[in-house]
């Protein structure tokens, strides 16, 4: 009975990981899409647009093995472009800029939460899979060992509540 309960729990944890990974992927794609939209909107200077467009395109096109690195590069590009609150204030003053900044801020804030939910689910599944009985009776079946998604997801200081322009 214990083995059956543990196998069911492990199955539910793997389903939770799949759902959390799908949510994380959706948030990462949303962030890259908003960054690409902003980069092509002519609201930014050409150098910032090129930097942001290149990083966002690389993040959208990255294979699974390189996804963490590409997403981290996008985070670095966002921090470089929006390092100062004054830059965000100038962008907000442009026509259409307020909506673009609002969309980017929402996208940037959701990525760390989605990554945290995913990594928490991975941590819980790993804890169950490390039990001796789970390994001996192979209760995980052929499910791959869950891997955490590690990336630099720190938001640009100017897009956080503490750094937002007044």
């Amino acid at each position: 009975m214990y083995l059956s309960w543990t196998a069911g729990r492990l199955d539910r944890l793997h389903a939770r990981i799949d759902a959390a990974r799908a949510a994380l992927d959706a948030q990462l794609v949303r962030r890259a899409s908003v960054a690409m939209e902003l980069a092509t909107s002519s609201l930014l200077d050409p150098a910032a647009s090129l930097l942001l467009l290149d990083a966002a395109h690389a993040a959208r096109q990255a294979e699974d093995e390189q996804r963490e690195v590409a997403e981290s590069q996008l985070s670095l590009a966002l921090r470089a472009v929006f390092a100062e609150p004054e830059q965000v204030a100038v962008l907000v003053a442009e026509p259409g800029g307020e909506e673009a900044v609002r969309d980017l801020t929402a996208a940037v804030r959701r990525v760390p939460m989605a990554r945290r939910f995913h990594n928490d689910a991975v941590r819980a599944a790993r804890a169950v899979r490390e039990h001796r009985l789970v390994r001996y009776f192979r209760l995980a079946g052929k499910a791959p060992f869950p891997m955490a998604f590690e990336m630099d997801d720190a938001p640009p200081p100017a897009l956080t509540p503490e750094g937002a322009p007044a």
Side-chain angles (χ1 to χ4, degrees), residues 18-166:
D18 291 342
R21 181 59 187 237
L24 175 61
D25 284 340
Q27 293 305 322
L28 292 172
V29 167
R30 183 172 185 263
R31 181 180 76 153
S33 296
V34 170
M36 286 180 82
E37 188 177 307
L38 184 60
T40 59
S41 70
S42 74
L43 293 172
L44 299 172
D45 65 87
S49 291
L50 187 59
L51 176 70
L52 203 54
L53 184 62
D54 184 45
H57 180 71
R60 293 268 314 258
Q61 301 299 319
E63 297 293 325
D64 285 341
E65 302 85 34
Q66 297 298 319
R67 183 91 186 264
E68 294 171 349
V69 173
E71 294 293 346
S72 293
Q73 292 297 325
L74 179 55
S75 294
L76 290 172
L78 286 167
R79 283 198 304 272
V81 171
F82 299 106
E84 299 296 324
E86 294 81 24
Q87 293 167 317
V88 176
V90 168
L91 184 60
V92 168
E94 295 288 327
E98 186 175 352
E99 182 182 349
V101 168
R102 191 176 344 107
D103 291 345
L104 182 63
T105 300
V108 165
R109 288 182 184 170
R110 288 180 180 152
V111 168
M113 288 187 289
R115 189 174 77 86
R116 194 171 311 122
F117 288 141
H118 175 268
N119 288 349
D120 286 346
V122 166
R123 197 173 304 111
R126 283 182 171 183
V128 172
R129 286 181 73 145
E130 289 173 357
H131 286 79
R132 189 176 308 148
L133 288 176
V134 172
R135 288 193 322 260
Y136 287 162
F137 289 102
R138 299 173 196 223
L139 297 181
K142 295 184 185 209
F145 193 74
M147 300 300 292
F149 194 86
E150 297 300 332
M151 65 173 271
D152 175 5
D153 61 3
L159 297 179
T160 60
E162 299 81 30

